[in-house]
Amino acid sequence: GTATRTLLGKAEIILWRLRDARAYRVECGCSFAPYVYAFLREAAREFNTTAALPIRLGSAGADARRLVSRPSD
């Protein structure tokens, strides 16, 4: 896949497009993980897609958290 570093709200993130064109991985610093999680949940709610936004927090080392999203149809 491909990746880019960008801002999501006030947080710097790395956005990865995985092999499956409908799957993305978002990485951010540990301290920003709750903010990024809330930001994505609110954006999904705004578009009535909260059921299509399963987000899982996991460890990516001492300085990052991964937020994984796989949208549905």
Side-chain angles (χ1 to χ4, degrees):
T2 58
T4 188
R5 186 174 295 236
T6 189
L7 289 176
L8 180 70
K10 298 177 183 179
E12 184 176 322
I13 65 165
I14 300 173
L15 179 64
W16 297 77
R17 183 187 320 176
L18 305 178
R19 285 187 213 165
D20 176 0
R22 298 183 51 84
Y24 296 87
R25 183 174 75 198
V26 175
E27 292 186 9
C28 63
C30 286
S31 61
F32 286 103
Y35 173 82
V36 170
Y37 178 85
F39 191 100
L40 292 173
R41 293 298 285 188
E42 181 60 31
R45 192 175 5 256
E46 182 176 330
F47 293 98
N48 296 318
T49 60
T50 53
L53 190 64
I55 297 176
R56 177 177 55 89
L57 291 174
S59 177
D63 63 346
R65 288 273 175 127
R66 288 186 187 152
L67 301 176
V68 178
S69 172
R70 184 176 295 275
S72 66
D73 293 326

